[in-house]
Amino acid sequence: MVRFVESDSTGLPLKRRQVAQACARCRRRKKRCCHNDHRDHKERRAEHGPQSPVNGETARAATDSPTLSASGAITTQDDSRRSGGHMSRFVGDMNPEAIFMEATSLCSTRDVSVRGGLGVWEPRTSPRDKSTNDAAAALTSPSRQAVQEMMKAYVQSNCLGCCPPPADFAVLRRIYLEKLDPIFPILDCQSVTSPQTEISEIVLKQVISLAAAADPEATSHFRLSPDGILLSRHDFCTSLSSSIQIILDTGLITDRVLLTRILAALSLYMQPSSPDEADTPAFLSNRAVHQMHTMGLQMASDESQTSSQTTRTLFSCLWALDRLNSAFYGRATLIHERDIGWDLDDCIARQAPPFRLFLMIISLLDKVIALYRPGNRNEKAVLVELPIFEQMILDAGAARVPSSCLASLEIFYHSVAILSSQSPADGTSTSLPVPATNSRRSLAADRITSIVGNEFLGQLSYMPIIPYGVSLSLSVSYRKMRHSNVPMFRSRGKQAFRANASLLKSLDDTFWTVKTMVAMAEQVLQEMDKAVASLAQENGLAEISKKAELASRGDQGPAALGTGDVTADTVIQGTSEWNILENVPDLDVFGNFDPTFDLGAVDAALEGNLDIGASSNWFDWQQLWG
């Protein structure tokens, strides 16, 4: 048996002493006596010099028994007396340090969260070498405390007041609860209506306002003070996003569950404003998943608990967000089914119909993501079977959900359909697509363009899944326009490409990735127009082009060019090129682009958008094409 003996500052072992006898009162009560600690402390101080005060404190701390607080955290009487409120350090049993800590440190306490414990809790003020302790405190504590105080002062003066006035917030809150919360209920309705603290209330208002700002109806409510001017959507969202992030960084949100909700919501709805923030949404999602693992939300809880359904819904939101970030940014998933204690199918079945339908589509996306993982590339085309969307609505019990909400989810469904077919890894981009792949992608892209541009213009739930679907539709039309050998198909692809570019341009002040796509699309169209005009001049087809354009404009009535019809003008602009290419079908428009135009970069970005396994930094493309 090994016995650890205390030593003094010179390294020599301390003299062993007899334990003090209990006082008469404690002997009669048969209780443990601690009344002689103060006297022993004085004796040891006189006996051992300057090292004794630490040992005296150690002996006193050993008498404190650990207790379980109301929140479930392990605390001691010494912790309650400590004015500084320093956090304890946890050392797991897999760390060899835990063995020595438990044997030598009288202030350490055994973890009791499970039978047998998982490690040792060591208070930050545990007895250690005094010189080391003082040096660490001199290097870290004052500076860190000063930074915290500075940030809190900045938050009080600049961030907490960045909130829409009550009249404007009422409209934004209604938009959020009607259009966004049914599909993705990341913010609990109870926490929204009755937050615990004033800071929590302000941050929740900021997050709700940021989420609702993407809706066209919110345009007239972009104010941050009662008498303030009406801001642009970009300025409004940038101010809210910055304020929320600063508040989170200061640590003023102490409720972990609320912190997880805010991180997830901010990850989905924030819009970066600079290249430095390009990966911020994915980083915020990672932080939310980290908090989820810290609290153990991925483990199934007892059904008898009242918060079981709330925990299940929060976990489902985080699981869905993890899959969305994987598709949006080409990131690896962080939540794996082998680590989940919940039954995913049961979690989905217990949700409200709109959210249930959304999770059913996320489940399809989860299967599609597996196609794009490294090592899963197949030598022949792979097509993931998808159920009919109408049947999914009936299975989810969402037949009575508002049509605008269903249309938003249908766009997401068609986006997954576009990604659900994978071409062979060794296939060239100029080869004809697989028949099943071509049909599914073309039909899905056309449905997305029709829903966003005509059927439900301005009525959708404007979440990031809307511009993502339109960008996929743009990529499909670009491939058709870029690699088709038949003039009719090439012209049809150009018309669809122009229509999707117009839709994205209407969303470029709302979603940050759209700006890059719009810049590329516009420059491609400009180069195509230049190339067609040059080819027409070289082949003597200029007169044919002018006559075809005039005839097309004569057939179109004024009513055909309404606000909601984004494809009417594309038909006119594409007819002249079609007539030119019909007369000279062997002309290669893309081969006549300006040599200084980086067509390879456009191909890599627009066609790479169909491969979610490739991570793209859209701000790098934006700097190139902006």
Side-chain angles (χ1 to χ4, degrees):
M1 179 178 178
V2 179
R3 182 184 299 275
F4 294 91
V5 182
E6 291 184 286
S7 59
D8 58 14
S9 58
T10 61
L12 297 176
L14 296 176
K15 184 185 297 185
R16 300 180 62 183
R17 65 184 181 86
Q18 296 291 335
V19 178
Q21 188 178 14
C23 64
R25 181 182 178 187
C26 292
R27 286 202 301 272
R28 288 195 302 269
R29 299 175 58 195
K30 298 186 183 299
K31 297 290 183 180
R32 181 177 181 179
C33 179
C34 60
H35 300 116
N36 292 327
D37 286 351
H38 185 63
R39 183 181 62 188
D40 295 339
H41 170 70
K42 289 183 177 180
E43 293 175 359
R44 297 188 65 184
R45 183 174 181 179
E47 211 174 298
H48 302 292
Q51 187 70 17
S52 298
V54 177
N55 295 329
E57 293 176 10
T58 303
R60 176 174 50 84
T63 63
D64 296 327
S65 57
T67 58
L68 188 64
S69 65
S71 60
I74 302 299
T75 60
T76 62
Q77 295 178 11
D78 182 65
D79 291 334
S80 63
R81 289 193 299 264
R82 193 179 303 133
S83 60
H86 300 288
M87 297 293 293
S88 298
R89 185 171 72 99
F90 179 77
V91 181
D93 286 337
M94 298 184 67
N95 190 337
E97 184 183 358
I99 302 175
F100 296 96
M101 283 176 50
E102 195 169 11
T104 60
S105 177
L106 299 179
C107 287
S108 63
T109 56
R110 185 71 183 170
D111 169 56
V112 294
S113 59
V114 296
R115 179 176 296 180
L118 300 174
V120 179
W121 288 97
E122 180 197 22
R124 291 295 186 186
T125 55
S126 61
R128 293 185 178 183
D129 187 358
K130 191 174 186 302
S131 60
T132 304
N133 224 4
D134 293 343
L139 290 175
T140 60
S141 298
S143 59
R144 189 172 184 181
Q145 184 178 2
V147 171
Q148 289 289 334
E149 293 298 329
M150 290 172 59
M151 293 186 68
K152 289 180 180 179
Y154 180 83
V155 166
Q156 292 289 341
S157 59
N158 295 276
C159 299
L160 296 183
C162 184
C163 193
D168 294 319
F169 176 72
V171 178
L172 298 173
R173 182 177 181 273
R174 177 182 58 79
I175 293 173
Y176 175 81
L177 294 177
E178 289 180 359
K179 294 187 176 183
L180 303 179
D181 187 69
I183 296 178
F184 191 70
I186 185 62
L187 300 179
D188 186 29
C189 293
Q190 183 178 0
S191 63
V192 172
T193 54
S194 57
Q196 297 179 353
T197 63
E198 181 182 359
I199 295 179
S200 301
E201 180 181 5
I202 293 175
V203 175
L204 286 171
K205 286 183 178 180
Q206 292 174 338
V207 173
I208 293 172
S209 302
L210 177 65
D215 195 273
E217 185 183 351
T219 306
S220 59
H221 301 280
F222 294 154
R223 297 183 183 85
L224 294 177
S225 61
D227 299 327
I229 61 173
L230 188 65
L231 303 174
S232 64
R233 178 178 278 109
H234 177 268
D235 294 340
F236 182 77
C237 293
T238 300
S239 299
L240 290 175
S241 299
S242 301
S243 298
I244 297 171
Q245 291 185 73
I246 293 174
I247 293 175
L248 295 180
D249 292 341
T250 56
L252 295 178
I253 304 296
T254 57
D255 186 348
R256 283 186 180 269
V257 175
L258 180 60
L259 177 62
T260 304
R261 294 183 184 277
I262 294 173
L263 288 170
L266 188 61
S267 170
L268 184 64
Y269 296 118
M270 80 158 294
Q271 302 303 320
S273 58
S274 67
D276 294 336
E277 298 180 355
D279 60 347
T280 301
F283 175 66
L284 291 170
S285 175
N286 294 351
R287 288 179 61 186
V289 174
H290 167 76
Q291 295 293 339
M292 180 202 75
H293 286 145
T294 301
M295 295 182 290
L297 298 181
Q298 77 277 10
M299 305 305 296
S301 60
D302 190 358
E303 294 293 337
S304 61
Q305 296 182 7
T306 55
S307 61
S308 176
Q309 180 59 29
T310 303
T311 304
R312 187 184 285 108
T313 301
L314 177 56
F315 168 76
S316 300
C317 287
L318 295 172
W319 175 73
L321 180 64
D322 186 44
R323 269 53 187 172
L324 286 177
N325 276 296
S326 178
F328 290 169
Y329 309 112
R331 301 276 175 161
T333 56
L334 301 178
I335 304 176
H336 304 283
E337 189 172 355
R338 60 181 178 268
D339 301 323
I340 298 174
W342 299 98
D343 183 352
L344 279 176
D345 294 333
D346 181 63
C347 285
I348 295 174
R350 290 173 179 262
Q351 306 304 324
F355 186 41
R356 188 186 312 156
L357 181 58
F358 176 72
L359 292 176
M360 291 169 67
I361 303 175
I362 290 289
S363 298
L364 299 179
L365 177 62
D366 191 29
K367 297 178 181 178
V368 170
I369 290 174
L371 297 178
Y372 297 89
R373 289 194 171 102
N376 287 0
R377 300 286 181 173
N378 296 279
E379 296 183 357
K380 58 182 180 179
V382 178
L383 195 69
V384 177
E385 292 297 329
L386 301 179
I388 301 175
F389 184 65
E390 182 178 357
Q391 186 61 48
M392 293 180 66
I393 295 176
L394 298 177
D395 292 342
R400 296 184 180 274
V401 172
S403 298
S404 60
C405 181
L406 292 179
S408 303
L409 294 174
E410 185 182 1
I411 293 172
F412 186 34
Y413 169 82
H414 288 303
S415 301
V416 176
I418 291 175
L419 299 171
S420 64
S421 55
Q422 188 188 74
S423 300
D426 56 348
T428 60
S429 59
T430 57
S431 61
L432 291 176
V434 180
T437 299
N438 181 64
S439 300
R440 176 178 287 189
R441 284 184 171 178
S442 297
L443 291 174
D446 291 343
R447 290 300 305 139
I448 291 174
T449 305
S450 176
I451 293 172
V452 179
N454 295 325
E455 298 178 30
F456 291 91
L457 181 65
Q459 305 175 35
L460 299 170
S461 300
Y462 283 91
M463 300 172 63
I465 57 177
I466 305 300
Y468 181 66
V470 179
S471 68
L472 291 177
S473 180
L474 181 79
S475 296
V476 171
S477 60
Y478 178 78
R479 282 186 61 90
K480 187 178 296 184
M481 176 182 67
R482 179 77 170 88
H483 303 297
S484 292
N485 296 318
V486 180
M488 179 182 68
F489 293 142
R490 182 178 294 181
S491 178
R492 185 181 298 166
K494 182 180 179 182
Q495 293 177 20
F497 185 78
R498 194 185 297 273
N500 286 305
S502 299
L503 290 176
L504 287 176
K505 189 172 181 60
S506 65
L507 299 172
D508 65 354
D509 66 333
T510 306
F511 301 98
W512 65 281
T513 54
V514 170
K515 297 180 182 293
T516 305
M517 303 289 286
V518 170
M520 289 184 184
E522 289 181 341
Q523 295 199 30
V524 168
L525 291 173
Q526 290 175 6
E527 289 297 321
M528 286 193 69
D529 293 340
K530 292 179 183 179
V532 169
S534 176
L535 291 172
Q537 291 291 340
E538 292 176 1
N539 294 274
L541 301 175
E543 293 297 326
I544 298 177
S545 175
K546 292 180 180 178
K547 290 180 180 179
E549 185 173 349
L550 291 174
S552 299
R553 291 189 179 278
D555 294 339
Q556 295 290 335
L561 300 178
T563 304
D565 192 357
V566 297
T567 60
D569 193 51
T570 63
V571 176
I572 298 175
Q573 298 180 18
T575 305
S576 59
E577 180 186 347
W578 189 358
N579 282 274
I580 293 175
L581 296 179
E582 275 189 329
N583 285 273
V584 189
D586 295 333
L587 291 177
D588 183 11
V589 176
F590 288 90
N592 286 270
F593 272 24
D594 188 341
T596 61
F597 184 80
D598 195 351
L599 185 60
V602 175
D603 290 342
L606 295 183
E607 295 190 26
N609 192 35
L610 298 174
D611 185 359
I612 61 178
S615 177
S616 300
N617 187 344
W618 289 107
F619 268 112
D620 289 346
W621 295 114
Q622 185 176 3
Q623 290 178 342
L624 178 63
W625 298 97

